[in-house]
């Protein structure tokens, strides 16, 4: 049986039965989700990595309290959100959007080697503008939009992760796309 055919609940049951090596499959499945969720809220990549690690440590320690009626991804995001809030409180700082997202996404976009330097510069600037526009979205629009676009999650899963009604998630993503389209058109008119 392919390890990706095993459901989250089956993996949780195996870990609780003492087969702790199966927890690494849960980490592998959801590390990118937790990382991208935190990345859009923090200035410090080291802090993001620390909270991601703390999220999985806490999830492992409290796995017996996981409610199998909930999505595992939603449970993890809730843990990471709570750890983020605790971290911000301890540091006396607010949760802020960051240019870190821009830096990470731009570094990924530069890996294409077939383009000519002028094309790379134009593409990089266009991409930077798009990322800046995304960062300007309010948090209630940005989070579901990024979960949909970056993590390619289905609407229903986003609703469960964020503990929101499905229609609210759809509306927020639709509104985010509209705001971004409007900003892009304004930017192109000015260029």
């Amino acid at each position: 049986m392919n390890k990706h055919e095993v459901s989250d609940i089956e993996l949780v049951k195996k870990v609780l039965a003492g087969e702790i090596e199966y927890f690494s499959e849960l980490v592998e499945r959801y590390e990118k989700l937790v990382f991208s969720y935190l990345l859009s809220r923090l200035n410090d990549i080291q802090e993001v990595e620390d909270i991601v690690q703390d999220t999985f440590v806490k999830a492992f320690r409290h796995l017996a309290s996981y409610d199998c009626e909930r999505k595992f991804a939603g449970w993890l995001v809730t843990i990471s959100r709570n750890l983020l809030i605790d971290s911000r409180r301890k540091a006396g700082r607010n949760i802020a959007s960051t240019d870190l997202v821009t830096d990470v996404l731009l570094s990924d976009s530069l890996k294409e080697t077939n383009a000519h330097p002028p094309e790379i510069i134009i593409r990089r600037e266009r991409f930077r503008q798009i990322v800046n526009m995304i960062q300007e979205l309010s948090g209630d629009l940005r989070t579901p939009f990024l979960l949909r676009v970056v993590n390619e999650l289905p609407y229903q899963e986003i609703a469960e992760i964020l503990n929101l009604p499905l229609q609210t998630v759809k509306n927020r993503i639709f509104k985010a796309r509209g705001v971004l389209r409007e900003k892009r058109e304004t930017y192109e008119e000015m260029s």
Side-chain angles (χ1 to χ4, degrees), residues 13 21 54 73 77 82 101 111 129 142 167 173 177 181 184 190:
K13 288 178 181 176
E21 65 274 9
D54 291 347
V77 168
N82 291 340
V101 175
K111 293 178 182 171
Q129 289 302 321
R142 184 177 56 246
Q167 195 56 46
I173 293 170
R177 287 183 171 142
R181 187 177 312 110
R184 191 182 72 232
M190 295 173 69

Side-chain angles (χ1 to χ4, degrees), residues 43-105:
N43 290 325
D44 182 353
I45 191 129
Q46 184 61 50
E47 189 174 3
V48 169
E49 291 171 348
D50 291 345
I51 295 175
V52 169
Q53 182 176 349
D54 291 347
T55 297
F56 286 102
V57 168
K58 189 168 187 173
F60 182 76
R61 287 184 181 152
H62 298 280
L63 199 57
S65 68
Y66 167 64
D67 177 4
C68 292
E69 297 296 315
R70 291 184 62 196
K71 284 275 191 182
F72 191 76
W75 187 64
L76 282 175
V77 168
T78 300
I79 291 171
S80 67
R81 182 183 318 140
N82 291 340
L83 289 169
L84 171 64
I85 291 168
D86 290 347
S87 170
R88 301 287 85 198
R89 260 192 221 128
K90 287 177 188 172
R93 296 176 284 185
N94 292 325
I95 299 168
S97 185
T98 175
D99 287 334
L100 186 59
V101 175
T102 306
D103 296 342
V104 170
L105 293 174

Side-chain angles (χ1 to χ4, degrees), residues 51-178:
I51 295 175
V52 169
Q53 182 176 349
D54 291 347
T55 297
F56 286 102
V57 168
K58 189 168 187 173
F60 182 76
R61 287 184 181 152
H62 298 280
L63 199 57
S65 68
Y66 167 64
D67 177 4
C68 292
E69 297 296 315
R70 291 184 62 196
K71 284 275 191 182
F72 191 76
W75 187 64
L76 282 175
V77 168
T78 300
I79 291 171
S80 67
R81 182 183 318 140
N82 291 340
L83 289 169
L84 171 64
I85 291 168
D86 290 347
S87 170
R88 301 287 85 198
R89 260 192 221 128
K90 287 177 188 172
R93 296 176 284 185
N94 292 325
I95 299 168
S97 185
T98 175
D99 287 334
L100 186 59
V101 175
T102 306
D103 296 342
V104 170
L105 293 174
L106 284 175
S107 68
D108 286 347
S109 72
L110 296 177
K111 293 178 182 171
E112 191 171 322
T113 57
N114 295 339
H116 299 292
E119 292 172 2
I120 292 173
I121 292 169
I122 291 168
R123 192 175 315 137
R124 187 183 312 166
E125 182 55 32
R126 203 174 285 145
F127 191 75
R128 185 185 319 266
Q129 289 302 321
I130 291 168
V131 171
N132 287 337
M133 289 175 200
I134 292 170
Q135 288 179 321
E136 290 172 1
L137 291 171
S138 64
D140 64 327
L141 298 180
R142 184 177 56 246
T143 299
F145 178 80
L146 288 174
L147 290 173
R148 178 73 179 155
V149 173
V150 174
N151 294 94
E152 300 175 344
L153 295 178
Y155 292 107
Q156 183 61 45
E157 195 166 332
I158 296 168
E160 291 168 9
I161 288 170
L162 298 177
N163 198 24
L164 292 170
L166 177 61
Q167 195 56 46
T168 301
V169 168
K170 288 180 177 181
N171 289 342
R172 288 182 181 180
I173 293 170
F174 179 79
K175 186 173 181 181
R177 287 183 171 142

